[in-house]
Amino acid sequence: MVKDIQDAVHPFDAESVMGLLQAPPRVLALGEPTHGEDSLLELRNTLFRRLVEQEGYRTVAIESDCMMGLVVDDYVTSGTGTLDEVMERGISHGWGTSTANRELVRWMRAHNEGLAASERVRFAGVDGPLEMTGAASPRQALTALHGYLAAHVDPGLLPCTADTLDRLLGSDDRWTEPAAMMDPARSAGQSPEAAELRLVADDLVALFDERTPHLLASTTRDDWDRACLYGRTATGLLRYHHWMADASPARLTRLVGLRGQIMARNLLALADRGPVLVHAHNSHLQREKSSMRLGDVPLEWWSAGAIASAHLGGEYAFVHTALGTIRHQGVDAPPPDTVEGLLYALPQDRCVVDARRLATALGETRPAHRVSPWFGYAPFDPTHLAGGDGIVFVKDLPKL
């Protein structure tokens, strides 16, 4: 058994990852089982640098606010702003303070120096403007889309004026009320103004689609792509806010599902532009249905990766990351009957595992699901072996 498992194991490098695949996919997704560990992000950086240099990937996307990501993209492609400013304003969830994220952005800027626009590597956030505690105001996305259209089409075709849009939006505080995540009565998402804004957003996106031939002829492709992002974000945020105000038992399931849909739409739009490397939590990128518990409430949803895979088929590849120990978080050596335990018994400290060959080697053996003592870490689900293309396994994760 050990030898059969060893035959599925390869050195940790980009060549081993690509060797798992029949051809370079349009979207290559690398997951992580926990957030906030720079050691994992350094591994991501190592792989992504080689894949950009050797395989021609031209977009690097991470689990961060898609609107904020425009600030990083401007910096890495044209040097707009300073690295300090970009890390503060361009990456969400507090992850701009990560040394490894800073190094990724710094490297992308250095890599792009002197390259033609078509050869530069781009940055993107795939997440919506969302946090666990709430969602952003739709103001930025709506006003940006309205402004783009106002500059390039007959103003009489717009569904409302900028002043009307501002009046309907009102104060941003009503949208970002922290208590609304747990108390739907505190949400503005089903107010009369919100209902009217959803119609306005729909009309703006419809006008944008209808005028696409003219817009592509009169503006740059990058400007058009950004306007697409504004439209996706505006409609997605308004839908999210609407369901934040819902009091039914399905409320939380809808919200996690909507977040997955927003991420999937962003990822598919990036894939339309060219080959993409994306990094996020395993639960956002896996092909199987995702699940979690929020307190006593079990939640299941189709992730961004599952949706993107359904659209892209073989053009989507997913590499799971699994861990042995995270001792500084209380995660000690894994039980030997888990997938992590089987890999932990091998001599390699870091390796790339062919998930399908591993599943074949295990045969009728059914690994147990590891139980994590730390809420922030999601162990490998053994039922997902056949659904991934590979596993990056790290035996011991040090604290940096």
Side-chain angles (χ1 to χ4, degrees):
M1 172 72 76
V2 172
K3 182 184 183 305
D4 291 339
I5 294 175
Q6 183 70 66
D7 288 343
V9 174
H10 305 281
F12 172 78
D13 53 37
E15 290 78 8
S16 293
V17 171
M18 298 309 295
L20 301 174
L21 312 171
Q22 292 185 344
R26 180 163 287 267
V27 174
L28 178 51
L30 175 66
E32 63 176 357
T34 186
H35 291 316
E37 296 291 338
D38 263 19
S39 296
L40 289 178
L41 301 186
E42 288 181 352
L43 295 179
R44 172 204 66 188
N45 291 353
T46 298
L47 285 176
F48 280 11
R49 281 196 298 266
R50 295 294 178 265
L51 291 168
V52 166
E53 294 166 350
Q54 298 173 10
E55 300 293 336
Y57 284 90
R58 288 293 175 266
T59 296
V60 171
I62 69 171
E63 185 183 336
S64 182
D65 182 334
C66 56
M67 295 290 286
M68 292 176 70
L70 298 175
V71 173
V72 185
D73 190 49
D74 284 342
Y75 175 76
V76 300
T77 56
S78 60
T80 303
T82 68
L83 182 56
D84 286 342
E85 293 169 345
V86 166
M87 298 311 296
E88 181 180 353
R89 299 191 299 112
I91 296 179
S92 62
H93 309 323
W95 297 333
T97 60
S98 160
T99 300
N101 280 336
R102 184 183 182 90
E103 175 56 24
L104 175 67
V105 174
R106 188 209 62 76
W107 174 81
M108 292 175 70
R109 177 64 199 136
H111 174 85
N112 285 337
E113 284 284 1
L115 293 180
S118 61
E119 293 299 312
R120 294 174 195 152
V121 61
R122 306 284 299 272
F123 179 92
V126 292
D127 207 351
L130 307 169
E131 295 285 352
M132 286 293 289
T133 54
S137 164
R139 177 183 301 279
Q140 182 185 5
L142 269 175
T143 56
L145 177 60
H146 187 281
Y148 173 83
L149 288 169
H152 299 291
V153 304
D154 181 350
L157 296 174
L158 295 171
C160 69
T161 65
D163 287 343
T164 298
L165 190 61
D166 185 63
R167 176 182 60 77
L168 291 171
L169 285 163
S171 168
D172 285 346
D173 290 345
R174 64 198 290 260
W175 299 98
T176 58
E177 166 59 60
M181 179 53 74
M182 300 311 296
D183 181 1
R186 300 291 294 273
S187 171
Q190 293 187 18
S191 65
E193 294 84 2
E196 189 169 348
L197 282 170
R198 291 187 76 183
L199 293 174
V200 167
D202 184 69
D203 283 341
L204 287 171
V205 171
L207 179 61
F208 174 82
D209 288 342
E210 185 257 318
R211 293 284 154 158
T212 286
H214 166 70
L215 295 170
L216 283 174
S218 58
T219 70
T220 68
R221 177 68 192 217
D222 279 353
D223 286 344
W224 186 86
D225 280 340
R226 289 195 173 194
C228 283
L229 172 61
Y230 302 149
R232 291 194 305 274
T233 304
T235 54
L237 270 177
L238 285 165
R239 187 176 297 114
Y240 193 91
H241 278 289
H242 176 87
W243 289 107
M244 281 184 71
D246 176 51
S248 78
R251 176 178 182 266
L252 292 176
T253 298
R254 273 191 201 277
L255 291 179
V256 292
L258 284 172
R259 184 185 179 195
Q261 183 187 53
I262 290 170
M263 294 176 73
R265 293 180 68 197
N266 285 332
L267 187 53
L268 289 168
L270 294 172
D272 282 343
R273 192 172 71 188
V276 182
L277 300 170
V278 58
H279 182 260
H281 196 279
N282 288 323
S283 64
H284 293 312
L285 298 175
Q286 64 194 35
R287 290 187 177 92
E288 297 80 7
K289 212 168 194 180
S290 297
S291 63
M292 66 177 290
R293 295 190 73 86
L294 195 61
D296 295 330
V297 182
L299 303 175
E300 288 190 340
W301 73 98
W302 291 109
S303 72
I307 297 169
S309 179
H311 283 274
L312 296 173
E315 288 279 78
Y316 181 85
F318 170 55
V319 177
H320 202 113
T321 295
L323 301 173
T325 71
I326 323 174
R327 297 193 192 279
H328 57 279
Q329 298 290 0
V331 181
D332 293 321
D337 60 344
T338 63
V339 170
E340 293 94 340
L342 292 166
L343 297 175
Y344 196 78
L346 300 176
Q348 291 89 344
D349 290 330
R350 299 174 181 177
C351 58
V352 173
V353 183
D354 186 324
R356 295 183 178 90
R357 288 191 66 180
L358 177 59
T360 300
L362 293 174
E364 296 301 314
T365 303
R366 293 175 178 253
H369 194 294
R370 185 182 188 184
V371 177
S372 171
W374 175 41
F375 175 75
Y377 164 56
F380 186 89
D381 186 336
T383 64
H384 294 173
L385 260 180
D389 297 287
I391 304 169
V392 168
F393 181 70
V394 181
K395 180 173 284 191
D396 299 294
L397 190 69
K399 182 178 182 180
L400 296 183

